[in-house]
Amino acid sequence: MTLRFSVLASGSTGNAFYIESNEQKILVDAGLSGKQMDYLFSEVNVDPSTLSGILVTHEHSDHIKGLGIIARKYNLPIYANEKTWKAMEKSLGKLSVDQKFHFGMEEVKTFKDMEIESFGVSHDAAEPMFYTFRHEGKKIALVTDLGYVSERIKKTVEDADAYIFEANHDVGMLRVGRYPWSVKRRILGDSGHVSNEDCGLALTDIISNRTKRIYLAHLSLDNNMKDLARMSVKNVLQERGIDIELHDTDPKSPTALYEVG
Ligand SMILES: [Zn+2]
Ligand SMILES: [Zn+2]
């Protein structure tokens, strides 16, 4: 049994997530330039021409910036829901029809030896959705770009072996920071991003004894810091008697390939 993943890059400057099993290699989002994407793949020793496909979460540029380029260069199929396709299609450039596939919201699809489930999130995009990945009893959940973590999302992502979970901002830093109020309101709102504290609270509800690994993701460059995010989330968890190590992600360099075992 093999299920390995790397958060290739995470943050408002660009997101990409890589997951592989024995039978396939899958990319989720390609939010950095083609050149940067190639660099990230080389850092984890993955040849992007061996990918089976790319799943898309939503059309924000920090998730699709290099998507058209990578898909064309390596002739890869792209999977997204209908509204996301509509919203992003123009910015992708020319793709052939056999590269365009549909992955609906709240759908479970089998990709060879992996079961991938999509779930909708509250975020200011056309039809944003994220994914869980299952393989031989193991489960990984990718959860970023959401204004709040609904009960429904908690049910879908609970009891996973590993999480990549959004800890976007420190509410205090955001409030006193330089962003105009309209932007602050967007980030703090129900269609924005999850704060460090809300990340901790959500994790408290969803993790189990089975959970071995948590990566904090999509940290704001202006309104968060890695140490602060880790400490804030850890405090919330510890107050509720949960002691688990938290791992960083980075906007520019990939996390080491982690094998879920
Ligand atoms: Zn994003
Ligand atoms: Zn977004």
Side-chain angles (χ1 to χ4, degrees):
M1 116 90 216
T2 322
L3 192 57
R4 278 189 296 258
F5 69 84
S6 164
V7 182
L8 297 177
S10 185
S12 44
T13 49
N15 296 273
F17 174 73
Y18 169 74
I19 185 162
E20 66 176 26
S21 62
N22 283 338
E23 291 181 24
Q24 65 199 322
K25 300 173 178 180
I26 291 173
L27 178 67
V28 182
D29 291 340
L32 298 91
S33 71
K35 199 173 157 189
Q36 284 170 308
M37 289 299 304
D38 279 339
Y39 164 77
L40 295 169
F41 280 119
S42 72
E43 285 288 286
V44 289
N45 288 316
V46 171
D47 173 358
S49 69
T50 62
L51 289 170
S52 333
I54 310 174
L55 311 182
V56 181
T57 62
H58 64 298
E59 75 279 13
H60 286 163
S61 68
D62 59 320
H63 296 260
I64 63 158
K65 193 175 179 187
L67 180 59
I69 300 156
I70 291 283
R72 260 189 303 282
K73 188 167 173 189
Y74 302 109
N75 191 29
L76 302 170
I78 300 174
Y79 295 82
N81 64 44
E82 211 163 303
K83 285 185 184 160
T84 302
W85 267 119
K86 274 210 181 89
M88 72 180 179
E89 206 151 15
K90 275 196 190 109
S91 48
L92 298 187
K94 206 171 160 46
L95 293 167
S96 72
V97 278
D98 60 0
Q99 285 179 289
K100 297 178 190 173
F101 290 85
H102 190 257
F103 197 143
M105 171 118 85
E106 322 284 340
E107 189 180 342
V108 182
K109 264 193 198 295
T110 304
F111 289 77
K112 294 181 184 167
D113 58 354
M114 237 191 267
E115 236 180 34
I116 305 182
E117 180 174 2
S118 67
F119 57 93
V121 295
S122 169
H123 187 59
D124 52 359
E127 196 175 6
M129 63 183 199
F130 281 79
Y131 302 94
T132 67
F133 307 84
R134 286 171 203 268
H135 170 75
E136 292 185 4
K138 302 291 177 189
K139 176 177 172 183
I140 294 168
L142 175 64
V143 193
T144 68
D145 296 77
L146 69 174
Y148 68 99
V149 189
S150 67
E151 291 308 312
R152 184 175 180 164
I153 293 174
K154 285 180 190 170
K155 264 260 140 324
T156 307
V157 305
E158 71 183 359
D159 196 27
D161 296 271
Y163 288 95
I164 300 89
F165 211 97
E166 174 161 72
N168 180 259
H169 55 274
D170 175 80
V171 173
M173 276 181 83
L174 178 68
R175 281 190 190 282
V176 301
R178 63 177 177 85
Y179 285 11
W181 179 241
S182 59
V183 178
K184 291 181 183 179
R185 202 164 45 204
R186 184 215 146 214
I187 297 170
L188 290 167
D190 278 354
S191 314
H193 291 280
V194 165
S195 70
N196 294 340
E197 199 184 357
D198 287 343
C199 169
L201 289 170
L203 286 172
T204 307
D205 290 343
I206 58 181
I207 64 176
S208 70
N209 294 336
R210 180 174 152 179
T211 307
K212 301 285 181 315
R213 196 91 170 175
I214 298 173
Y215 290 88
L216 302 182
H218 217 298
L219 268 65
S220 162
L221 281 178
D222 296 289
N223 304 308
N224 212 351
M225 292 176 286
K226 286 179 184 173
D227 290 345
L228 177 63
R230 245 186 291 108
M231 257 169 37
S232 311
V233 176
K234 205 169 182 72
N235 282 343
V236 177
L237 293 174
Q238 273 174 347
E239 277 167 21
R240 286 152 187 85
I242 302 167
D243 195 22
I244 185 165
E245 199 185 339
L246 300 168
H247 295 266
D248 293 327
T249 58
D250 192 88
K252 290 206 172 82
S253 58
T255 62
L257 268 185
Y258 173 71
E259 179 158 344
V260 182

